[in-house]
Amino acid sequence: MTHSLHRSGDIESQKKDFNWFMYQTKGVNDKNIKPKALEFIAAAEAVGSENWGDVKTGPITQLPSEEIRAKITDKSRIRGVFTKREQVVAFLKRIKEKDLGMSVVITGVLSEVLPACREAAVTPHSVNYSLGVWGRKDLLPDDVTLSITTMCGHHMIPPRFVKYVMRQVEKGKLTPEAGSVKLANFCYCGIFNQVRCADIIRKETGRETPPDR
Amino acid sequence: MIIHPEICVGCGRCQPYCPTKAIRYEGRKSVIDQDICYECSTCLRAAHCPVDAIAESHNVYDYPRALRRYFSDPSARHVATGIEGRGTEETKSADVTRRCGPGKVGVAIEIGRPNLGMSLRDVQKITRAIARAGVHKIEPHNPIHSMIADEATGDLKPEMLGERLLSAIIEIEVEREQLRGILRTLKEVAREVDSVFCVDAFTVVEPQLHIPEEVLESIRAEGFTWRPNAKINMGLGRAWE
């Protein structure tokens, strides 16, 4: 469960945040998945997937993509990130044409994803809505921190570490991009959008990346 | 997780890496509060202790403490289900499984997320509330299913109640006409839970990308709103020949 439907933050920022997932179904189509997983990765890379990974190994922000590919097994979970609707359309067209038979899930802002489905001539089967957060919301971190931590569905990103990265960027010890990769490496799955994260850090700290870094 | 006191040099580098603030100074050394630790192993994996003082607890796989690891470390496989993670494939492979078909709504309650984690006592508050509302069947492939001691009351196995997890998911399936009652129940139990939970509602999409109005009306009627983002199954999966 990637929790990706509960990503939070500014809506314009979320419009640049899509997750793609390949799913095998236990006991149905979960044997010898590697060739199909490699097709998914090839399609995602061909359209510029900014991050991807396998929960069993890690994300490409941390490991060479060849290593992740080599370690794919039938227990792997392959998923990643797009930042543009055009990438979603092109990815869906490629996967549909390949007709691999694996389940495909896209998470994102509905007003972006549904038109992408129409454009790719894909008919969704089902939709999973987020009905928000309930309970002790008074205990939650601030909204900016949440917009970053919710990009790891397993919530492995400590809010304290987000603050630490923000301070390092403010002091000029890290660029927004380098800080966002540090945060991305907490997320095993590769669904953390480090491009969006760098935008959030840049906006929050007022720090631009120096041209020579 | 533990920090070997004879090796720790007290640099404190590991402390911001803990998702639950379980690592703190005791004297001049970092220590991990065993009551709070979720056994997620983030400190071991990500903090890169300069003297390798961080290690697994000797009892990490002892029951019931092992539940912390199974629910909090995404790379661990839950022994009860063989499923990695905290829930099931739910909507993600529904085009293949045909789970939650026309006339039904899937509801998932993701407890402890975002960021706070929770006690299994909080999970029990919700399983009990759902049972009182007349829903006694938790999705059988979800790890929570095997932790229920009494389906009629929603009670969990009592020996588990002292454990803390980064998150868990309760997954149920209801008829569309039951959705309002369940959402009302969740609103009420939200006042009792000492953490947070996210609510998901999962439905099939009808022709012309039409979302069933009965589902949307139930959501609106109980004062819930759906967020602009959602998880969409593209309908491209099938059983292999």
Side-chain angles (χ1 to χ4, degrees), chain A residues 15-194:
Chain A
K15 284 182 178 176
K16 298 174 192 164
D17 191 13
F18 304 89
N19 289 140
W20 61 268
F21 304 86
M22 180 200 87
Y23 266 89
Q24 65 271 39
T25 302
K26 193 176 178 185
V28 180
N29 58 14
D30 61 341
K31 300 295 179 212
N32 192 28
I33 69 156
K34 187 167 183 175
K36 293 172 190 287
L38 293 175
E39 292 276 14
F40 268 80
I41 293 166
E45 287 196 325
V47 302
S49 182
E50 283 80 358
N51 191 9
W52 63 266
D54 175 357
V55 69
K56 306 306 291 182
T57 311
I60 58 166
T61 54
Q62 193 173 33
L63 300 167
S65 61
E66 297 75 23
E67 181 180 342
I68 306 171
R69 281 187 176 85
K71 290 181 176 173
I72 291 172
T73 71
D74 287 347
K75 298 296 180 190
S76 291
R77 295 293 196 197
I78 308 296
R79 62 280 298 266
V81 171
F82 297 128
T83 55
K84 301 178 193 73
R85 189 170 96 182
E86 294 74 23
Q87 291 172 306
V88 177
V89 174
F91 176 74
L92 287 175
K93 283 181 176 173
R94 283 170 183 263
I95 293 298
K96 188 180 177 190
E97 187 184 325
K98 292 280 182 188
D99 191 23
L100 299 167
M102 308 296 275
S103 296
V104 182
V105 172
I106 301 284
T107 303
V109 174
L110 279 164
S111 63
E112 298 290 312
V113 179
L114 293 180
C117 295
R118 288 192 186 94
E119 215 174 313
V122 165
T123 306
H125 170 270
S126 42
V127 60
N128 194 355
Y129 283 108
S130 163
L131 303 187
V133 182
W134 294 80
R136 294 290 309 275
K137 288 191 278 189
D138 57 305
L139 300 176
L140 290 173
D142 63 88
D143 288 345
V144 172
T145 301
L146 274 176
S147 70
I148 292 174
T149 60
T150 53
M151 286 196 281
C152 170
H154 290 106
H155 286 268
M156 308 310 290
I157 301 176
R160 271 204 297 179
F161 199 81
V162 174
K163 298 287 187 199
Y164 166 77
V165 166
M166 292 280 191
R167 284 196 302 273
Q168 295 292 100
V169 172
E170 280 167 1
K171 289 176 185 171
K173 293 183 176 177
L174 276 179
T175 63
E177 287 75 15
S180 67
V181 169
K182 277 185 176 289
L183 290 160
N185 289 342
F186 280 88
C187 172
Y188 289 58
C189 304
I191 65 161
F192 186 89
N193 184 338
Q194 76 274 20

